[in-house]
Amino acid sequence: MRHFILASHGTFSQGIYSSVKIIMGEQENVHIITAYVEEGQDIKDLVSKTLKEIPQGEEIIVCTDVFGGSVNNEWMVHVNHANVHLITGMNLPLLMNLFMQEEQDIQTLIRQGVKEAREGMIYCNDRIAESQEEEEF
């Protein structure tokens, strides 16, 4: 079984998952970590608690908000486990790709999801300018 952990500073992970649910419906095995929302929260404790909820040896895909941040750094400690896969720079296209492709090999799934999420980042002003230049030509 595959588990997804969405982890962020503040409520970003909760909000982005809310968007996923609007578009795709409720997803199975999703765990949300909202760090630093409550006074005295420790990211290590939140990570530890979440890992205890997941049966030993099951596949885990962790998506965090920003590389080098405390949330991502805490998850970096766990990537030496063969069943833990960590992605940072979480965005909606990435999550949608991950949730849609359940049967695929996990590393192929992640690499494809990251590739498509990158390609989905477009500066629309440039796209419009390019389109207008083509029309004028």
Side-chain angles (χ1 to χ4, degrees):
M1 183 157 296
R2 193 172 286 164
H3 293 263
F4 299 89
I5 300 173
L6 312 183
S8 68
H9 298 82
T11 59
F12 174 67
S13 55
Q14 193 173 36
I16 199 166
Y17 184 58
S18 175
S19 294
V20 167
K21 290 191 297 187
I22 289 169
I23 296 167
M24 301 179 69
E26 188 81 34
Q27 301 298 304
E28 290 184 14
N29 302 317
V30 176
H31 310 264
I32 306 294
I33 294 177
T34 56
Y36 310 109
V37 173
E38 295 178 21
E39 184 85 23
Q41 274 186 325
D42 180 29
I43 185 63
K44 260 185 191 174
D45 291 342
L46 292 171
V47 169
S48 178
K49 180 182 176 241
T50 303
L51 287 173
K52 286 177 185 171
E53 295 173 1
I54 299 171
Q56 203 71 44
E58 293 199 354
E59 287 184 322
I60 300 170
I61 298 175
V62 181
C63 297
T64 64
D65 52 0
V66 62
F67 183 74
S70 57
V71 174
N72 190 77
N73 288 347
E74 185 56 39
W75 280 104
M76 292 287 282
V77 173
H78 300 279
V79 295
N80 59 342
H81 299 101
N83 65 319
V84 176
H85 303 271
L86 177 60
I87 308 166
T88 192
M90 170 173 46
N91 63 36
L92 192 55
L94 170 68
L95 294 178
M96 290 172 61
N97 273 302
L98 294 175
F99 290 133
M100 285 191 295
Q101 306 296 328
E102 290 184 30
E103 301 302 319
Q104 206 169 10
D105 165 70
I106 195 162
Q107 291 182 351
T108 302
L109 168 70
I110 291 169
R111 288 184 179 111
Q112 183 65 30
V114 169
K115 179 180 181 273
E116 289 182 21
R118 283 183 183 150
E119 290 172 357
M121 294 181 66
I122 299 167
Y123 181 33
C124 295
N125 295 47
D126 285 346
R127 181 64 61 92
I128 291 169
E130 290 167 6
S131 174
Q132 290 172 344
E133 286 175 11
E134 288 175 10
E135 287 178 11
E136 292 173 5
F137 184 66

